[in-house]
Amino acid sequence: MALITLNKLALPTGSVLQVQQGTKSSSATLSNIAVSTFADAGLSVTITPNSSSNKILLQGTIEFHSADNSQVFKLQYSTNGGSSYSDVPAIGDAENSHWRVYGGTSTPRWSTSQDTHHYGQLAFSYLHSISSTNTHIYKVVVGNEQGNANIYINRSEAWANEQKAHGRITISTIQATEFKA
């Protein structure tokens, strides 16, 4: 039986051309994240578009926690091999001195005799209009609005001391799907 090769240029608009996925299944601690700074969450995906007019659909989830209850995140991309990154335009409009981010969480805080817990699991979805066929590296960066604090990826701040649900380790994912324009 002969192998049939599809011509990607002949596919109709809206066709899925490729899907790439990145995962982070280990936990991480990002230490002393200062106000107005972002740290790489260690979650990324790489995709090389077939055409500069195509669209890249970014989807995923990230779980992060901190000692303060106001975590934020945004998506960034590089088209030069990771030498520099720009914000994916999926951020809020500039208004006063407020942060421009994709999402964030102010989570309930409660105290036990041992620890305090702050949870944040967020899903994201954004259709990115690209302008080149250079390889695109997309990554998630996280920040904390409350001051210098540790941010914990895929675990709670108190996971080492907990034997219950608070001691879980989760997975964060990011997918990049190229659609034909």
Side-chain angles (χ1 to χ4, degrees), residues 5-154:
T5 304
L6 293 176
N7 178 355
K8 291 180 182 177
L9 297 176
L11 293 173
T13 298
S15 296
V16 172
L17 301 179
Q18 63 174 314
V19 178
Q20 302 295 328
Q21 177 172 278
T23 62
K24 179 165 182 58
S25 57
S26 61
S27 66
T29 300
L30 307 174
S31 299
N32 296 317
I33 306 303
V35 170
S36 300
T37 63
F38 286 87
D40 190 332
L43 179 61
S44 65
V45 65
T46 301
I47 191 167
T48 304
N50 290 282
S51 169
S52 62
S53 62
N54 290 345
K55 309 281 188 197
I56 304 293
L57 178 62
L58 301 167
Q59 296 176 298
T61 62
I62 182 167
E63 183 158 344
F64 55 108
H65 307 197
S66 79
D68 292 314
N69 66 349
S70 202
Q71 306 95 18
V72 294
F73 81 99
K74 61 184 175 179
L75 305 169
Q76 294 185 329
Y77 73 102
S78 173
T79 57
N80 58 16
S83 296
S84 63
Y85 283 85
S86 300
D87 290 342
V88 172
I91 56 177
D93 291 340
E95 185 175 318
N96 299 323
S97 61
H98 297 290
W99 280 24
R100 298 182 69 206
V101 298
Y102 183 88
T105 182
S106 293
T107 54
R109 180 179 180 149
W110 67 91
S111 296
T112 67
S113 60
Q114 297 176 2
D115 299 296
T116 56
H117 306 282
H118 312 277
Y119 301 99
Q121 184 176 48
L122 295 173
F124 57 89
S125 179
Y126 182 74
L127 189 61
H128 188 205
S129 297
I130 59 173
S131 59
S132 81
T133 57
N134 292 351
T135 297
H136 284 58
I137 303 169
Y138 292 96
K139 71 178 183 177
V140 176
V141 294
V142 296
N144 188 307
E145 294 179 302
Q146 299 290 321
N148 291 352
N150 294 340
I151 295 178
Y152 306 95
I153 306 297
N154 290 344

